[in-house]
Amino acid sequence: MSDTPNPLRDPRDKRLPRVAGPSVLVLFGVTGDLSRKKLLPAIYDLANRGLLPPGFSLVGFARRDWDHQDFRQIAYEAVKQHARTPFREDVWTHLAEGMHFVPGEFDDPGAFEALAMAVKELDESRGTGGNYAFYLSIPPKFFPQVVEQLQRSGLAHGDDAGHEGFRRVVIEKPFGHDLKSAVELNDTVHRVFPEESIFRIDHYLGKETVQNILALRFANTMFEPIWNRGFVDHVQITMAEDIGIGGRAGYYDGIGAARDVIQNHLLQLLALTAMEEPTSFSAEAVRAEKAKVLSSVRVPEDLSLATAHGQYSSGWQGGVRVKGYLEEDGIPADSRTETYAAVKLEIDNRRWAGVPFYLRTGKRLSRRVSEVALIFQKAPHLPFSLTDTEELGQNALVMRVQPDEGITVRFGSKVPGTSMEIRDVNMDFAYGESFTESSPEAYERLLLDVLIGDPPLFPRQEEVELSWKILDPIEEYWSGSRRIEQYKSGGYGPDSADELMARDGRAWRRL
Ligand code: BG6
């Protein structure tokens, strides 16, 4: 082959799409909700966008008595129902040809031998080159068994330098239940896979709007000079959901909102918002800055004043009567698992000393919204009469992660008229208006990065451990309380969360 770059596909041209090379994705837990609603549709969407190689193959592994055709049918239904891009028969047919199913139990060495044979055959028939990514979309208690079987069957070997192809493993949160179990889990996976082959998924990092936090901060000059304690009064990070736990009682009870969302998504948002500029966008440089800021996070001493949690009771949502958490199927009547959690954190460094970061998340709240809001200090002096500025709040910069993706700047403006009345107004940037292309789903981006082997959007173990160090004392404090406050479904969360803010003379942004 000639070394001359093809002028039509010069890899130096950054405008060309990043395309995965020949590979097999092995999906464990293919019958689960995540596979059906997110992973299978994302794979189709990638194929539809032309980002998968022609021989790309997908192998499903599960405890089901299925053949290839059954697997294709399940995947077809998932794609029809949940894919982001339009259904195209030709794309589907091509993708389905590369779909295979291997039935088996996680503790059956024979099943893993069959898997090894299946991927080898794909290498020969579809040119996948011995490049395998193993996606463990299964409860973490099965990780030790599966990684051990991957090793025993020879599937885990190979290396990332390209000899005999790459071997990567993808794991989903929860990365442990606390610091101790996170370390153990990591040791288990590390016994078989080196750190650079482990891709930990925090799907928030796959969202365009979350990546845009770095673009906003470090590709512009006007924000960074005010992004510090000299101008920012406090920061609010919110992930509110209107849904309940749905059919996930088995996963959720005993985990709760803080472990489910704060330990990963919200602390990652905090890290991206508060970190210093990385030297480059390489995985190492980004991780180093995130780890640095996470190690400066301090949980206030008096946790009774700095945390709030609660559980949703029945109520009305969108005109429909909904059950309380304790009435949900599969939840024990005496469960004290929180479905809402709020914490106030401090960051002990020169940029943020004295600027509290308030994090909150909850289910069955009035509205679905995820955002990061920087609330700025009040103007030091207002040369206007008090009555003219009654409706003036503090300036704010809000990065809206979802559902209505964009950025809002709130500032005071003169009300048209003959007096100097001033009121807050919003200036909005909306993704949908500025860009014609709709944003890919987080899992499209993350799956593509796994196949390409591009790690910056995947948290490293150090970040996982630092996040547990922040959360562990809070969980321990909560575990000592006998009862948990109830809040009405469809509302704004427990009163104690409002009191937490009120004690500091502040209020949560309206949901
Ligand atoms: C998951 C949590 O990580 O994120 C769920 O386990 C939550 O409880 C979900 O519903 C929300 O994701 P998104 O992308 O809809 O904000």
Side-chain angles (χ1 to χ4, degrees):
M1 251 168 68
S2 139
D3 281 347
T4 323
N6 175 349
L8 298 175
R9 273 208 91 86
D10 183 344
R12 288 167 302 185
D13 185 346
K14 294 282 184 285
R15 287 164 306 177
L16 284 174
R18 296 155 68 244
V19 180
S23 45
V24 182
L25 181 67
V26 179
L27 196 51
F28 292 94
V30 77
T31 55
D33 239 31
L34 184 74
S35 290
R36 215 165 35 81
K37 292 195 181 142
K38 300 286 182 189
L39 303 179
L40 294 167
I43 291 165
Y44 167 81
D45 287 325
L46 286 173
N48 205 2
R49 292 164 63 205
L51 303 181
L52 296 181
F56 173 79
S57 305
L58 175 69
V59 176
F61 183 104
R63 286 171 290 187
R64 292 289 162 105
D65 188 18
W66 286 353
D67 59 19
H68 303 323
Q69 210 39 52
D70 296 322
F71 175 42
R72 288 171 194 160
Q73 184 59 29
I74 295 293
Y76 174 79
E77 283 158 22
V79 166
K80 275 283 201 174
Q81 226 183 325
H82 300 288
R84 180 180 65 89
T85 58
F87 187 80
R88 278 175 44 199
E89 203 64 53
D90 55 332
V91 173
W92 169 254
T93 309
H94 187 75
L95 188 65
E97 277 164 12
M99 286 189 180
H100 294 252
F101 186 75
V102 177
E105 301 280 342
F106 298 147
D107 61 357
D108 174 11
F112 281 78
E113 274 156 34
L115 178 63
M117 299 250 295
V119 289
K120 214 162 184 339
E121 267 170 43
L122 291 172
D123 284 342
E124 277 154 31
S125 60
R126 299 179 60 85
T128 42
N131 297 311
Y132 313 144
F134 304 101
Y135 199 122
L136 310 192
S137 179
I138 53 177
K141 65 175 181 209
F142 296 117
F143 287 2
Q145 232 169 17
V146 172
V147 291
E148 202 179 298
Q149 297 276 17
L150 289 174
Q151 182 178 40
R152 204 179 303 159
S153 56
L155 278 164
H157 305 298
D159 67 24
D160 257 18
H163 314 297
E164 320 160 33
F166 66 70
R167 306 297 151 90
R168 298 179 187 141
V169 66
V170 186
I171 55 179
E172 273 282 341
K173 72 170 221 329
F175 310 122
H177 195 72
D178 52 19
L179 177 60
K180 186 168 169 284
S181 54
V183 171
E184 281 165 15
L185 171 68
N186 191 48
D187 288 347
T188 303
V189 182
H190 267 162
R191 250 175 261 140
V192 178
F193 291 95
E195 178 66 17
E196 60 275 16
S197 304
I198 304 174
F199 289 73
R200 298 177 187 81
I201 298 241
D202 179 322
H203 79 280
Y204 260 59
L205 297 180
K207 291 183 192 276
E208 287 286 328
T209 41
V210 171
Q211 293 159 43
N212 196 35
I213 296 176
L214 295 186
L216 179 84
R217 293 189 56 198
F218 303 126
N220 298 297
T221 50
M222 58 195 265
F223 301 113
E224 216 37 33
I226 53 168
W227 209 271
N228 56 51
R229 67 190 302 269
F231 295 88
V232 178
D233 175 71
H234 70 280
V235 178
Q236 295 190 20
I237 303 183
T238 300
M239 178 184 149
E241 294 184 281
D242 50 4
I243 52 169
I245 55 156
R248 297 165 80 218
Y251 160 78
Y252 199 86
D253 196 53
I255 288 195
R259 287 189 173 99
D260 185 39
V261 168
I262 294 185
Q263 188 272 340
N264 35 79
H265 308 326
L266 297 198
L267 284 174
Q268 284 289 331
L269 289 178
L270 175 145
L272 296 174
T273 306
M275 73 188 213
E276 297 301 318
E277 184 176 19
T279 48
S280 71
F281 193 55
S282 73
E284 264 324 301
V286 176
R287 181 206 53 77
E289 291 307 335
K290 284 199 282 176
K292 212 160 82 194
V293 75
L294 287 172
S295 35
S296 309
V297 170
R298 181 169 48 86
V299 182
E301 245 161 62
D302 190 342
L303 289 173
S304 68
L305 303 179
T307 68
H309 66 321
Q311 199 176 61
Y312 61 81
S313 60
S314 58
W316 290 89
Q317 201 137 38
V320 179
R321 178 125 194 104
V322 293
K323 288 182 190 169
Y325 181 71
L326 296 179
E327 293 129 36
E328 298 275 15
D329 291 342
I331 300 296
D334 60 351
S335 170
R336 283 184 286 126
T337 298
E338 86 280 358
T339 58
Y340 180 103
V343 296
K344 170 186 173 181
L345 300 171
E346 304 276 354
I347 302 182
D348 286 340
N349 64 21
R350 181 170 286 248
R351 187 192 278 261
W352 295 115
V355 179
F357 279 64
Y358 299 96
L359 277 50
R360 64 174 162 165
T361 182
K363 295 211 182 272
R364 283 265 182 256
L365 297 176
S366 61
R367 196 162 85 79
R368 173 175 184 247
V369 54
S370 294
E371 62 172 37
V372 177
L374 270 68
I375 314 294
F376 290 89
Q377 294 166 11
K378 291 200 169 104
H381 169 70
L382 287 175
F384 312 103
S385 86
L386 280 181
T387 48
D388 284 344
T389 55
E390 257 168 21
E391 291 184 60
L392 185 61
Q394 283 161 272
N395 295 164
L397 186 145
V398 185
M399 294 169 276
R400 303 192 311 271
V401 172
Q402 60 192 24
D404 140 35
E405 291 87 355
I407 291 169
T408 297
V409 178
R410 190 182 67 198
F411 57 96
S413 174
K414 181 180 175 309
V415 179
T418 50
S419 66
M420 198 55 194
E421 198 188 333
I422 301 173
R423 191 188 293 167
D424 283 333
V425 292
N426 284 336
M427 192 163 71
D428 269 334
F429 147 67
Y431 269 81
E433 283 170 22
S434 298
F435 301 108
T436 44
E437 206 183 314
S438 70
S439 297
E441 276 281 326
Y443 279 99
E444 287 173 60
R445 172 66 197 261
L446 295 176
L447 279 168
L448 182 66
D449 283 5
V450 167
L451 296 175
I452 292 178
D454 202 9
L457 298 181
F458 299 86
R460 286 279 163 97
Q461 179 65 12
E462 190 182 2
E463 296 161 59
V464 172
E465 291 182 12
L466 287 166
S467 303
W468 282 121
K469 274 191 195 150
I470 297 167
L471 207 63
D472 274 1
I474 299 171
E475 290 289 353
E476 199 186 315
Y477 169 69
W478 284 344
S479 70
S481 43
R482 291 249 180 79
R483 50 173 294 280
I484 181 159
E485 187 182 339
Q486 302 285 306
Y487 62 92
K488 273 240 158 316
S489 283
Y492 301 103
D495 293 343
S496 54
D498 292 336
E499 289 155 15
L500 184 162
M501 289 299 251
R503 274 193 294 273
D504 291 353
R506 300 185 171 110
W508 292 109
R509 283 173 47 78
R510 274 186 75 93
L511 286 180

